[in-house]
Amino acid sequence: MAGDPAPLASLSVTHVYYDPQDPISLFCAYLALLPQALCVVYATLIWSTREVEIGLTFAGQLTCEALNFALKRLIKEERPAAMHGKGYGMPSSHAQFVTFWSVSLGLFLLVRHKPSKAIDSRAPSSAHTPWSVGERMAVTVAGAAVAALTSWSRIYLNYHTERQVWAGSITGVVSAVGWFTIVGIARYTGWLRWGLETPIARAFRLRDLVVEEDPCQSGWEKWEERRVKSGSGKPKTN
């Protein structure tokens, strides 16, 4: 019939509904994959660095998701009428997830991260310069922009109302600040240091270096030392 809306398409694998005639709708559908992508990033960083700070942030992220699951079933507010999916919509889990991530990133970079400049005396040219406050602020703003765009996309795709997205964002902020405070208390009281000395933490080689140095710093210094010893990395000539 004339005037009927165009049929929606389902983004492969995720089944996120979007309007195939609308490029913005497709872009929003890809933004819906951000939480899954961030989980992959979390898991990769935890496995590759064994940094307890990253692991604790991920634990907070999962706790925030559990809170969202409980709130949805407590409030039981339906999604917009135009939505073709299932489940409750208050608060928005996507908005809550990405807001927790962006606020946690900003709090770490601007409050907890205290990097020191490391210089290898055997290789003066290899001075390691950590991110400046301005650079960390820029990353924080970029993270907040990505979170805001993802949250907006949920309204554009009719998965949530503005009220549901705002509720998710506010819950994400409160959860991130609360979790950051809990981890800070664990650090201040020595419980985190104690935990890192337990057999299971030692078995998994957990460490707590990222607060004071960039993740690549220690590995880079080892590489520079080896490079200098081998002749500054210059190819041998006959």
Side-chain angles (χ1 to χ4, degrees):
M1 293 177 62
D4 287 347
L8 299 181
S10 175
L11 190 62
S12 179
V13 180
T14 63
H15 298 296
V16 176
Y17 288 102
Y18 69 98
D19 183 355
Q21 307 301 322
D22 182 1
I24 297 178
S25 183
L26 176 59
F27 175 67
C28 290
Y30 279 110
L31 282 176
L33 302 178
L34 185 59
Q36 292 92 323
L38 287 175
C39 285
V40 173
V41 172
Y42 272 124
T44 302
L45 288 176
I46 292 170
W47 179 257
S48 61
T49 68
R50 307 303 172 96
E51 284 289 342
V52 69
E53 180 71 23
I54 301 174
L56 288 172
T57 303
F58 188 41
Q61 190 83 70
L62 295 178
T63 301
C64 186
E65 276 295 282
L67 174 61
N68 181 269
F69 182 88
L71 287 175
K72 280 187 174 180
R73 282 147 188 79
L74 178 64
I75 300 173
K76 297 182 179 180
E77 182 173 300
E78 299 295 335
R79 295 177 183 270
M83 169 56 195
H84 293 266
K86 298 179 180 179
Y88 298 117
M90 171 65 84
S92 166
S93 59
H94 274 75
Q96 188 170 323
F97 189 104
V98 295
T99 301
F100 180 98
W101 163 75
S102 66
V103 172
S104 296
L105 177 65
L107 287 173
F108 172 75
L109 290 176
L110 300 178
V111 179
R112 182 164 291 157
H113 189 44
K114 305 292 183 182
S116 58
K117 186 174 181 180
I119 301 178
D120 191 336
S121 60
R122 290 161 292 188
S125 63
S126 67
H128 173 77
T129 304
W131 282 355
S132 66
V133 174
E135 289 171 324
R136 283 180 272 154
M137 178 65 76
V139 173
T140 299
V141 172
V146 171
L149 192 60
T150 303
S151 298
W152 167 82
S153 73
R154 305 306 289 170
I155 301 173
Y156 192 88
L157 291 174
N158 288 319
Y159 272 82
H160 293 283
T161 63
E162 291 185 13
R163 182 166 164 267
Q164 291 169 351
V165 166
W166 274 110
S169 298
I170 293 171
T171 305
V173 170
V174 173
S175 298
V177 173
W179 190 260
F180 185 82
T181 302
I182 291 173
V183 174
I185 292 173
R187 286 182 175 280
Y188 180 78
T189 57
W191 280 103
L192 182 59
R193 190 181 308 110
W194 172 85
L196 288 172
E197 294 299 326
T198 59
I200 187 170
R202 299 285 295 170
F204 281 99
R205 299 184 178 183
L206 298 183
R207 64 186 189 181
D208 189 26
L209 296 175
V210 74
V211 172
E212 297 180 354
E213 67 176 36
D214 293 333
C216 64
Q217 181 177 335
S218 58
W220 173 255
E221 290 172 353
K222 291 178 182 178
W223 168 251
E224 282 295 284
E225 180 180 351
R226 181 181 299 181
R227 188 179 67 86
V228 171
K229 286 182 178 180
S230 65
S232 299
K234 296 179 180 179
K236 295 181 179 180
T237 57
N238 294 327

